[in-house]
mmCIF file of all heavy atoms in Angstrom:
data_model
loop_
_atom_site.group_PDB
_atom_site.id
_atom_site.type_symbol
_atom_site.label_atom_id
_atom_site.label_comp_id
_atom_site.label_asym_id
_atom_site.label_seq_id
_atom_site.Cartn_x
_atom_site.Cartn_y
_atom_site.Cartn_z
ATOM 1 N N MET A 79 0.833 -1.194 0.000
ATOM 2 C CA MET A 79 0.000 0.000 0.000
ATOM 3 C C MET A 79 0.872 1.249 0.000
ATOM 4 O O MET A 79 1.877 1.290 0.687
ATOM 5 C CB MET A 79 -0.875 0.019 1.248
ATOM 6 C CG MET A 79 -2.271 -0.431 1.010
ATOM 7 S SD MET A 79 -3.304 0.148 2.332
ATOM 8 C CE MET A 79 -4.191 -1.324 2.674
ATOM 9 N N THR A 80 0.415 2.250 -0.707
ATOM 10 C CA THR A 80 1.163 3.501 -0.719
ATOM 11 C C THR A 80 0.736 4.357 0.459
ATOM 12 O O THR A 80 -0.255 4.080 1.137
ATOM 13 C CB THR A 80 0.909 4.256 -2.034
ATOM 14 O OG1 THR A 80 -0.457 4.642 -2.081
ATOM 15 C CG2 THR A 80 1.262 3.419 -3.232
ATOM 16 N N GLU A 81 1.491 5.399 0.675
ATOM 17 C CA GLU A 81 1.156 6.305 1.776
ATOM 18 C C GLU A 81 -0.201 6.952 1.552
ATOM 19 O O GLU A 81 -0.972 7.153 2.488
ATOM 20 C CB GLU A 81 2.230 7.391 1.893
ATOM 21 C CG GLU A 81 1.967 8.354 3.026
ATOM 22 C CD GLU A 81 2.957 9.499 3.080
ATOM 23 O OE1 GLU A 81 4.021 9.408 2.457
ATOM 24 O OE2 GLU A 81 2.647 10.484 3.736
ATOM 25 N N ARG A 82 -0.518 7.249 0.309
ATOM 26 C CA ARG A 82 -1.799 7.875 -0.005
ATOM 27 C C ARG A 82 -2.975 6.954 0.316
ATOM 28 O O ARG A 82 -4.004 7.394 0.813
ATOM 29 C CB ARG A 82 -1.819 8.264 -1.473
ATOM 30 C CG ARG A 82 -3.033 9.039 -1.869
ATOM 31 C CD ARG A 82 -2.948 9.490 -3.294
ATOM 32 N NE ARG A 82 -3.760 10.679 -3.423
ATOM 33 C CZ ARG A 82 -3.707 11.508 -4.413
ATOM 34 N NH1 ARG A 82 -2.845 11.309 -5.380
ATOM 35 N NH2 ARG A 82 -4.479 12.556 -4.464
ATOM 36 N N GLU A 83 -2.805 5.664 0.037
ATOM 37 C CA GLU A 83 -3.871 4.703 0.310
ATOM 38 C C GLU A 83 -4.078 4.498 1.812
ATOM 39 O O GLU A 83 -5.189 4.233 2.245
ATOM 40 C CB GLU A 83 -3.562 3.367 -0.355
ATOM 41 C CG GLU A 83 -3.671 3.395 -1.868
ATOM 42 C CD GLU A 83 -3.174 2.121 -2.505
ATOM 43 O OE1 GLU A 83 -2.473 1.347 -1.832
ATOM 44 O OE2 GLU A 83 -3.484 1.910 -3.681
ATOM 45 N N THR A 84 -3.037 4.603 2.594
ATOM 46 C CA THR A 84 -3.181 4.415 4.032
ATOM 47 C C THR A 84 -3.708 5.666 4.714
ATOM 48 O O THR A 84 -4.325 5.576 5.767
ATOM 49 C CB THR A 84 -1.837 4.015 4.679
ATOM 50 O OG1 THR A 84 -0.862 4.999 4.375
ATOM 51 C CG2 THR A 84 -1.374 2.672 4.188
ATOM 52 N N ARG A 85 -3.482 6.825 4.121
ATOM 53 C CA ARG A 85 -3.943 8.076 4.719
ATOM 54 C C ARG A 85 -5.406 8.348 4.441
ATOM 55 O O ARG A 85 -6.071 9.032 5.209
ATOM 56 C CB ARG A 85 -3.122 9.240 4.170
ATOM 57 C CG ARG A 85 -2.335 9.925 5.231
ATOM 58 C CD ARG A 85 -1.548 11.086 4.774
ATOM 59 N NE ARG A 85 -2.009 11.733 3.566
ATOM 60 C CZ ARG A 85 -1.329 12.630 2.908
ATOM 61 N NH1 ARG A 85 -0.146 12.979 3.332
ATOM 62 N NH2 ARG A 85 -1.794 13.192 1.818
ATOM 63 N N ARG A 86 -5.929 7.830 3.355
ATOM 64 C CA ARG A 86 -7.288 8.146 2.944
ATOM 65 C C ARG A 86 -8.348 7.767 3.989
ATOM 66 O O ARG A 86 -9.221 8.580 4.280
ATOM 67 C CB ARG A 86 -7.589 7.505 1.598
ATOM 68 C CG ARG A 86 -8.922 7.915 1.047
ATOM 69 C CD ARG A 86 -9.139 7.348 -0.333
ATOM 70 N NE ARG A 86 -10.462 7.656 -0.799
ATOM 71 C CZ ARG A 86 -10.734 8.616 -1.660
ATOM 72 N NH1 ARG A 86 -9.766 9.339 -2.161
ATOM 73 N NH2 ARG A 86 -11.974 8.847 -2.030
ATOM 74 N N PRO A 87 -8.320 6.558 4.559
ATOM 75 C CA PRO A 87 -9.338 6.231 5.580
ATOM 76 C C PRO A 87 -9.283 7.162 6.791
ATOM 77 O O PRO A 87 -10.322 7.507 7.361
ATOM 78 C CB PRO A 87 -9.023 4.793 5.975
ATOM 79 C CG PRO A 87 -8.271 4.241 4.827
ATOM 80 C CD PRO A 87 -7.505 5.394 4.244
ATOM 81 N N VAL A 88 -8.080 7.562 7.168
ATOM 82 C CA VAL A 88 -7.937 8.482 8.302
ATOM 83 C C VAL A 88 -8.594 9.822 7.974
ATOM 84 O O VAL A 88 -9.320 10.387 8.793
ATOM 85 C CB VAL A 88 -6.449 8.672 8.661
ATOM 86 C CG1 VAL A 88 -6.278 9.722 9.732
ATOM 87 C CG2 VAL A 88 -5.839 7.358 9.091
ATOM 88 N N LEU A 89 -8.372 10.314 6.773
ATOM 89 C CA LEU A 89 -8.984 11.575 6.363
ATOM 90 C C LEU A 89 -10.499 11.456 6.277
ATOM 91 O O LEU A 89 -11.221 12.399 6.630
ATOM 92 C CB LEU A 89 -8.413 12.034 5.018
ATOM 93 C CG LEU A 89 -6.955 12.468 5.043
ATOM 94 C CD1 LEU A 89 -6.473 12.790 3.629
ATOM 95 C CD2 LEU A 89 -6.765 13.675 5.942
ATOM 96 N N MET A 90 -10.991 10.311 5.839
ATOM 97 C CA MET A 90 -12.433 10.106 5.769
ATOM 98 C C MET A 90 -13.058 10.131 7.166
ATOM 99 O O MET A 90 -14.102 10.750 7.379
ATOM 100 C CB MET A 90 -12.753 8.774 5.078
ATOM 101 C CG MET A 90 -12.462 8.757 3.609
ATOM 102 S SD MET A 90 -13.507 9.871 2.671
ATOM 103 C CE MET A 90 -15.049 9.004 2.805
ATOM 104 N N VAL A 91 -12.403 9.477 8.115
ATOM 105 C CA VAL A 91 -12.910 9.474 9.494
ATOM 106 C C VAL A 91 -12.904 10.886 10.063
ATOM 107 O O VAL A 91 -13.874 11.316 10.694
ATOM 108 C CB VAL A 91 -12.089 8.500 10.368
ATOM 109 C CG1 VAL A 91 -12.398 8.686 11.842
ATOM 110 C CG2 VAL A 91 -12.341 7.071 9.936
ATOM 111 N N LEU A 92 -11.831 11.610 9.841
ATOM 112 C CA LEU A 92 -11.763 12.983 10.345
ATOM 113 C C LEU A 92 -12.826 13.870 9.697
ATOM 114 O O LEU A 92 -13.442 14.695 10.373
ATOM 115 C CB LEU A 92 -10.371 13.570 10.094
ATOM 116 C CG LEU A 92 -9.259 13.001 10.959
ATOM 117 C CD1 LEU A 92 -7.908 13.569 10.523
ATOM 118 C CD2 LEU A 92 -9.507 13.302 12.421
ATOM 119 N N ALA A 93 -13.052 13.694 8.401
ATOM 120 C CA ALA A 93 -14.065 14.489 7.714
ATOM 121 C C ALA A 93 -15.456 14.177 8.256
ATOM 122 O O ALA A 93 -16.260 15.098 8.483
ATOM 123 C CB ALA A 93 -14.010 14.221 6.213
ATOM 124 N N TRP A 94 -15.765 12.902 8.482
ATOM 125 C CA TRP A 94 -17.069 12.545 9.029
ATOM 126 C C TRP A 94 -17.232 13.076 10.449
ATOM 127 O O TRP A 94 -18.326 13.514 10.831
ATOM 128 C CB TRP A 94 -17.267 11.034 8.994
ATOM 129 C CG TRP A 94 -17.801 10.565 7.673
ATOM 130 C CD1 TRP A 94 -17.102 9.912 6.706
ATOM 131 C CD2 TRP A 94 -19.126 10.754 7.164
ATOM 132 N NE1 TRP A 94 -17.928 9.678 5.633
ATOM 133 C CE2 TRP A 94 -19.169 10.180 5.880
ATOM 134 C CE3 TRP A 94 -20.266 11.360 7.665
ATOM 135 C CZ2 TRP A 94 -20.320 10.185 5.104
ATOM 136 C CZ3 TRP A 94 -21.414 11.369 6.890
ATOM 137 C CH2 TRP A 94 -21.435 10.788 5.626
ATOM 138 N N CYS A 95 -16.169 13.049 11.235
ATOM 139 C CA CYS A 95 -16.247 13.606 12.593
ATOM 140 C C CYS A 95 -16.447 15.108 12.555
ATOM 141 O O CYS A 95 -17.204 15.663 13.358
ATOM 142 C CB CYS A 95 -14.989 13.265 13.382
ATOM 143 S SG CYS A 95 -14.905 11.542 13.869
ATOM 144 N N TRP A 96 -15.785 15.779 11.610
ATOM 145 C CA TRP A 96 -15.890 17.230 11.468
ATOM 146 C C TRP A 96 -17.343 17.642 11.217
ATOM 147 O O TRP A 96 -17.805 18.669 11.676
ATOM 148 C CB TRP A 96 -14.995 17.678 10.317
ATOM 149 C CG TRP A 96 -14.900 19.143 10.121
ATOM 150 C CD1 TRP A 96 -15.578 19.892 9.207
ATOM 151 C CD2 TRP A 96 -14.088 20.068 10.854
ATOM 152 N NE1 TRP A 96 -15.232 21.205 9.322
ATOM 153 C CE2 TRP A 96 -14.313 21.342 10.325
ATOM 154 C CE3 TRP A 96 -13.184 19.912 11.915
ATOM 155 C CZ2 TRP A 96 -13.677 22.473 10.818
ATOM 156 C CZ3 TRP A 96 -12.551 21.043 12.397
ATOM 157 C CH2 TRP A 96 -12.796 22.287 11.851
ATOM 158 N N VAL A 97 -18.080 16.827 10.493
ATOM 159 C CA VAL A 97 -19.475 17.111 10.186
ATOM 160 C C VAL A 97 -20.401 16.472 11.213
ATOM 161 O O VAL A 97 -21.380 17.080 11.639
ATOM 162 C CB VAL A 97 -19.823 16.599 8.767
ATOM 163 C CG1 VAL A 97 -21.301 16.746 8.486
ATOM 164 C CG2 VAL A 97 -18.999 17.332 7.724
ATOM 165 N N GLY A 98 -20.088 15.261 11.619
ATOM 166 C CA GLY A 98 -20.997 14.484 12.451
ATOM 167 C C GLY A 98 -21.118 14.961 13.878
ATOM 168 O O GLY A 98 -22.210 14.935 14.450
ATOM 169 N N VAL A 99 -20.024 15.402 14.466
ATOM 170 C CA VAL A 99 -20.062 15.825 15.870
ATOM 171 C C VAL A 99 -20.934 17.076 16.055
ATOM 172 O O VAL A 99 -21.836 17.067 16.899
ATOM 173 C CB VAL A 99 -18.633 16.014 16.429
ATOM 174 C CG1 VAL A 99 -18.655 16.692 17.786
ATOM 175 C CG2 VAL A 99 -17.924 14.671 16.507
ATOM 176 N N PRO A 100 -20.749 18.133 15.280
ATOM 177 C CA PRO A 100 -21.653 19.282 15.436
ATOM 178 C C PRO A 100 -23.103 18.945 15.077
ATOM 179 O O PRO A 100 -24.034 19.453 15.709
ATOM 180 C CB PRO A 100 -21.095 20.327 14.463
ATOM 181 C CG PRO A 100 -19.702 19.923 14.223
ATOM 182 C CD PRO A 100 -19.659 18.444 14.359
ATOM 183 N N PHE A 101 -23.303 18.077 14.083
ATOM 184 C CA PHE A 101 -24.659 17.673 13.713
ATOM 185 C C PHE A 101 -25.332 16.933 14.867
ATOM 186 O O PHE A 101 -26.491 17.210 15.202
ATOM 187 C CB PHE A 101 -24.626 16.799 12.460
ATOM 188 C CG PHE A 101 -25.974 16.321 12.036
ATOM 189 C CD1 PHE A 101 -26.843 17.179 11.380
ATOM 190 C CD2 PHE A 101 -26.371 15.031 12.291
ATOM 191 C CE1 PHE A 101 -28.101 16.741 10.988
ATOM 192 C CE2 PHE A 101 -27.623 14.588 11.908
ATOM 193 C CZ PHE A 101 -28.483 15.449 11.250
ATOM 194 N N ALA A 102 -24.612 16.023 15.494
ATOM 195 C CA ALA A 102 -25.163 15.268 16.626
ATOM 196 C C ALA A 102 -25.463 16.194 17.798
ATOM 197 O O ALA A 102 -26.501 16.054 18.460
ATOM 198 C CB ALA A 102 -24.195 14.169 17.047
ATOM 199 N N TYR A 103 -24.591 17.145 18.045
ATOM 200 C CA TYR A 103 -24.833 18.113 19.125
ATOM 201 C C TYR A 103 -26.079 18.944 18.831
ATOM 202 O O TYR A 103 -26.926 19.147 19.697
ATOM 203 C CB TYR A 103 -23.616 19.026 19.299
ATOM 204 C CG TYR A 103 -23.856 20.125 20.293
ATOM 205 C CD1 TYR A 103 -23.865 19.859 21.662
ATOM 206 C CD2 TYR A 103 -24.091 21.435 19.882
ATOM 207 C CE1 TYR A 103 -24.098 20.868 22.583
ATOM 208 C CE2 TYR A 103 -24.325 22.446 20.795
ATOM 209 C CZ TYR A 103 -24.324 22.150 22.142
ATOM 210 O OH TYR A 103 -24.563 23.142 23.046
ATOM 211 N N GLY A 104 -26.194 19.428 17.606
ATOM 212 C CA GLY A 104 -27.362 20.216 17.224
ATOM 213 C C GLY A 104 -28.648 19.418 17.314
ATOM 214 O O GLY A 104 -29.677 19.933 17.761
ATOM 215 N N LEU A 105 -28.594 18.173 16.919
ATOM 216 C CA LEU A 105 -29.769 17.316 17.004
ATOM 217 C C LEU A 105 -30.165 17.077 18.462
ATOM 218 O O LEU A 105 -31.348 17.122 18.806
ATOM 219 C CB LEU A 105 -29.474 15.993 16.305
ATOM 220 C CG LEU A 105 -30.653 15.091 16.006
ATOM 221 C CD1 LEU A 105 -31.630 15.779 15.066
ATOM 222 C CD2 LEU A 105 -30.167 13.802 15.390
ATOM 223 N N ALA A 106 -29.187 16.848 19.319
ATOM 224 C CA ALA A 106 -29.470 16.651 20.748
ATOM 225 C C ALA A 106 -30.075 17.907 21.362
ATOM 226 O O ALA A 106 -31.031 17.826 22.151
ATOM 227 C CB ALA A 106 -28.192 16.260 21.486
ATOM 228 N N GLU A 107 -29.552 19.066 20.997
ATOM 229 C CA GLU A 107 -30.116 20.324 21.504
ATOM 230 C C GLU A 107 -31.535 20.541 20.987
ATOM 231 O O GLU A 107 -32.399 21.020 21.714
ATOM 232 C CB GLU A 107 -29.225 21.499 21.103
ATOM 233 C CG GLU A 107 -27.935 21.569 21.880
ATOM 234 C CD GLU A 107 -28.168 21.803 23.362
ATOM 235 O OE1 GLU A 107 -28.894 22.755 23.724
ATOM 236 O OE2 GLU A 107 -27.623 21.023 24.165
ATOM 237 N N LEU A 108 -31.783 20.195 19.735
ATOM 238 C CA LEU A 108 -33.123 20.312 19.170
ATOM 239 C C LEU A 108 -34.120 19.459 19.941
ATOM 240 O O LEU A 108 -35.205 19.924 20.301
ATOM 241 C CB LEU A 108 -33.111 19.896 17.698
ATOM 242 C CG LEU A 108 -34.466 19.847 17.003
ATOM 243 C CD1 LEU A 108 -35.008 21.255 16.817
ATOM 244 C CD2 LEU A 108 -34.347 19.139 15.673
ATOM 245 N N VAL A 109 -33.750 18.217 20.218
ATOM 246 C CA VAL A 109 -34.627 17.323 20.960
ATOM 247 C C VAL A 109 -34.854 17.861 22.368
ATOM 248 O O VAL A 109 -35.983 17.864 22.872
ATOM 249 C CB VAL A 109 -34.043 15.890 20.986
ATOM 250 C CG1 VAL A 109 -34.783 15.001 21.965
ATOM 251 C CG2 VAL A 109 -34.067 15.295 19.594
ATOM 252 N N ARG A 110 -33.798 18.336 22.997
ATOM 253 C CA ARG A 110 -33.920 18.869 24.359
ATOM 254 C C ARG A 110 -34.854 20.077 24.410
ATOM 255 O O ARG A 110 -35.725 20.173 25.279
ATOM 256 C CB ARG A 110 -32.530 19.252 24.873
ATOM 257 C CG ARG A 110 -32.483 19.534 26.360
ATOM 258 C CD ARG A 110 -31.053 19.710 26.825
ATOM 259 N NE ARG A 110 -30.430 20.898 26.289
ATOM 260 C CZ ARG A 110 -30.505 22.123 26.866
ATOM 261 N NH1 ARG A 110 -31.162 22.271 27.989
ATOM 262 N NH2 ARG A 110 -29.912 23.146 26.312
ATOM 263 N N LYS A 111 -34.725 20.984 23.447
ATOM 264 C CA LYS A 111 -35.585 22.177 23.406
ATOM 265 C C LYS A 111 -37.022 21.800 23.066
ATOM 266 O O LYS A 111 -37.953 22.391 23.591
ATOM 267 C CB LYS A 111 -35.062 23.183 22.377
ATOM 268 C CG LYS A 111 -33.686 23.705 22.665
ATOM 269 C CD LYS A 111 -33.702 24.726 23.744
ATOM 270 C CE LYS A 111 -32.290 25.280 23.900
ATOM 271 N NZ LYS A 111 -32.227 26.361 24.842
ATOM 272 N N ALA A 112 -37.211 20.833 22.171
ATOM 273 C CA ALA A 112 -38.549 20.405 21.809
ATOM 274 C C ALA A 112 -39.267 19.778 23.003
ATOM 275 O O ALA A 112 -40.459 20.002 23.203
ATOM 276 C CB ALA A 112 -38.503 19.429 20.643
ATOM 277 N N ILE A 113 -38.524 18.998 23.794
ATOM 278 C CA ILE A 113 -39.118 18.397 24.991
ATOM 279 C C ILE A 113 -39.528 19.498 25.972
ATOM 280 O O ILE A 113 -40.616 19.448 26.556
ATOM 281 C CB ILE A 113 -38.148 17.389 25.642
ATOM 282 C CG1 ILE A 113 -38.029 16.156 24.755
ATOM 283 C CG2 ILE A 113 -38.604 17.010 27.039
ATOM 284 C CD1 ILE A 113 -36.937 15.194 25.171
ATOM 285 N N GLN A 114 -38.692 20.505 26.151
ATOM 286 C CA GLN A 114 -39.034 21.618 27.030
ATOM 287 C C GLN A 114 -40.259 22.364 26.514
ATOM 288 O O GLN A 114 -41.131 22.769 27.290
ATOM 289 C CB GLN A 114 -37.872 22.607 27.128
ATOM 290 C CG GLN A 114 -36.738 22.129 27.982
ATOM 291 C CD GLN A 114 -35.599 23.149 28.028
ATOM 292 O OE1 GLN A 114 -35.597 24.116 27.268
ATOM 293 N NE2 GLN A 114 -34.638 22.917 28.893
ATOM 294 N N LEU A 115 -40.329 22.558 25.207
ATOM 295 C CA LEU A 115 -41.420 23.333 24.624
ATOM 296 C C LEU A 115 -42.746 22.580 24.672
ATOM 297 O O LEU A 115 -43.777 23.160 25.014
ATOM 298 C CB LEU A 115 -41.065 23.689 23.175
ATOM 299 C CG LEU A 115 -42.037 24.586 22.418
ATOM 300 C CD1 LEU A 115 -42.141 25.935 23.105
ATOM 301 C CD2 LEU A 115 -41.592 24.736 20.979
ATOM 302 N N PHE A 116 -42.731 21.307 24.335
ATOM 303 C CA PHE A 116 -43.975 20.572 24.196
ATOM 304 C C PHE A 116 -44.307 19.653 25.364
ATOM 305 O O PHE A 116 -45.470 19.356 25.610
ATOM 306 C CB PHE A 116 -43.940 19.718 22.913
ATOM 307 C CG PHE A 116 -43.878 20.529 21.657
ATOM 308 C CD1 PHE A 116 -42.755 20.514 20.868
ATOM 309 C CD2 PHE A 116 -44.951 21.322 21.276
ATOM 310 C CE1 PHE A 116 -42.696 21.254 19.718
ATOM 311 C CE2 PHE A 116 -44.892 22.076 20.130
ATOM 312 C CZ PHE A 116 -43.764 22.047 19.345
ATOM 313 N N GLY A 117 -43.298 19.184 26.072
ATOM 314 C CA GLY A 117 -43.579 18.127 27.036
ATOM 315 C C GLY A 117 -43.420 18.494 28.484
ATOM 316 O O GLY A 117 -44.189 18.075 29.327
ATOM 317 N N GLY A 118 -42.421 19.243 28.786
ATOM 318 C CA GLY A 118 -42.181 19.345 30.200
ATOM 319 C C GLY A 118 -41.695 20.661 30.612
ATOM 320 O O GLY A 118 -41.614 21.137 31.634
#
């Protein structure tokens, strides 16, 4: 394997984390606010 082939999965994981972590946080905050607004 070349260096480029071994680096690609690492970059893919970092890219997904870069997008996924803020998305998950925003989704959790949305659910929390919706529960406060409608349920409790």
Side-chain angles (χ1 to χ4, degrees):
M79 260 199 226
T80 65
E81 181 185 343
R82 186 175 206 164
E83 290 172 344
T84 56
R85 243 182 24 191
R86 186 176 175 102
V88 174
L89 291 175
M90 290 294 289
V91 168
L92 288 175
W94 274 106
C95 287
W96 185 261
V97 174
V99 169
F101 179 77
Y103 174 75
L105 194 62
E107 287 296 308
L108 175 70
V109 169
R110 192 172 67 87
K111 298 283 184 175
I113 289 171
Q114 285 179 350
L115 184 62
F116 295 112

